[in-house]
Amino acid sequence: MSEALLEVEKLSAGYGDARVLDDVSFRLDQGGSLALLGRNGMGKTTLLTSLIGLTRRHGGRIRLAGRDLTAVPTHRRALAGLGWVPQERDIFPSLTVEENLTAIATGGAWTLDRVYDLFPRLMERRSNMGNQLSGGEQQMLAIARALMLDPKVLLLDEPMEGLAPLIVQELFRIIQRMIERDGLAVILVEQHAHQILPLTRDAMILERGRVVYSGDSRRLIDEPALLDRWLGVGAVELDDGTSA
Amino acid sequence: MKAIDIIRNEHRALAAVLRALEATIADLRDGRRPPDFRLLAAMIDYIVRVPEEVHHPKEDGVFFPHIRAACPDAVPIIDELEHQHHRGREHVLQLAMSLIHFQAVGAAAQESFCAAAERYVAFSWTHIEMEERQLLPLLSDRLAPAAWAEIDAAFAANADPWRGTADEFERLFSRITALVPAPLGLGDRRSGLASRIT
């Protein structure tokens, strides 16, 4: 087996003495894509924040591109290649779109032009301040900012949360392009399971902080009973944030 | 991506534009905003051309014939869906003419356009719902893996059909998203829709 791009081994983590994650192990290969699923409160966000070092680790190991990140502080994990897009978006409201992007640019493969090619809307709005953007534009800017750090793995935490169906579809296609055209490794926490599973190669389901499914995304699509069992969403067909 | 994923993706994209059109019509009727003909034309272009040029031809030419052969109890559903595909063309002409009329004569033709758009949207929902709720769930256990493989191959040969020629429909979708005012889209909320997500 080739060396994994990201390898998580027996990770246990949480807040203070409370363990939220218990013995979580998985690997993500170069160009891989992982849908991270589970009901609310099952540890999905905690897993992403643990990868970037914002929780208390009780045990386990994290390796990225062969480098052990387990004891590396958060800001160095970002520079090492873990790009994080939090639910809160965290853009700078008093900087323009372009300043938000260039302030953190690392001079890597993701240049301003390349990011604008992926998000033409941000180029149109490049002179607008962060606080003048709509929710959908802020989400695009949050993803674009993470790309400017030239990540090896992009961690997206419910990027569609609270957005209208048109914007959700637009963002899904942008994420599809990042995975298929740009070959970016992505871990995606998302409630729209039926929509994201065809895009990601692998899927993992967390139940009370433990991995209860780890394998092909395709299997979860083809066997709706599995999704029903862990997510209770097997009956959802037109999963666009609306109902037909 | 497999054929059934592509069909569902196309439904989701259409559903998103249909929702935005419903909200646009409601705002026109309520007098909350003046008509934005660039947006109306883009939305109608999408909801008419994606089904007629991309979605239905794949279903009629590849998907439905396999289902007819392999799944006799789905035949009445297929008959109705094909009938709807045929009837959809009448609605399309009516809708296109009503938009041209609205643009030409202004407010006097607004109501007839809104009514035509609502009829088309209702017709589209009925059609999508029939496929999603009646046909697709029936097929998961009925079609043999060999039939699915043949359908998937035919869809795969059609590249990524919902992007259309040279990504035309993808660009059209992005344009609609950019024009529809926030929060439903990314457009300027001052010239756009009221906050309405139903």
Side-chain angles (χ1 to χ4, degrees), chain A residues 121 170 173 218 237 243-244, chain B residues 5 8 19 173-174 186:
Chain A
R121 183 63 180 171
E170 186 76 353
R173 279 189 285 171
R218 189 78 242 166
E237 301 296 343
S243 59
Chain B
D5 302 328
R8 287 195 162 125
R19 291 287 184 216
F173 189 95
S174 295
L186 300 171

Side-chain angles (χ1 to χ4, degrees), chain A residues 178-196:
Chain A
M178 289 192 299
I179 293 171
E180 293 177 359
R181 186 188 72 179
D182 299 316
L184 186 63
V186 170
I187 298 178
L188 180 56
V189 172
E190 186 47 59
Q191 297 292 340
H192 298 73
H194 287 273
Q195 193 156 7
I196 203 63

Side-chain angles (χ1 to χ4, degrees), chain A residues 186-216:
Chain A
V186 170
I187 298 178
L188 180 56
V189 172
E190 186 47 59
Q191 297 292 340
H192 298 73
H194 287 273
Q195 193 156 7
I196 203 63
L197 286 170
L199 297 187
T200 56
R201 188 186 307 162
D202 300 311
M204 189 163 81
I205 300 177
L206 291 180
E207 178 84 8
R208 296 181 187 179
R210 300 184 76 96
V211 177
V212 292
Y213 177 87
S214 182
D216 287 351

Side-chain angles (χ1 to χ4, degrees), chain A residues 41-54:
Chain A
M42 293 300 164
K44 305 184 297 295
T45 294
T46 302
L47 177 52
L48 295 195
T49 51
S50 297
L51 292 178
I52 58 158
L54 289 176

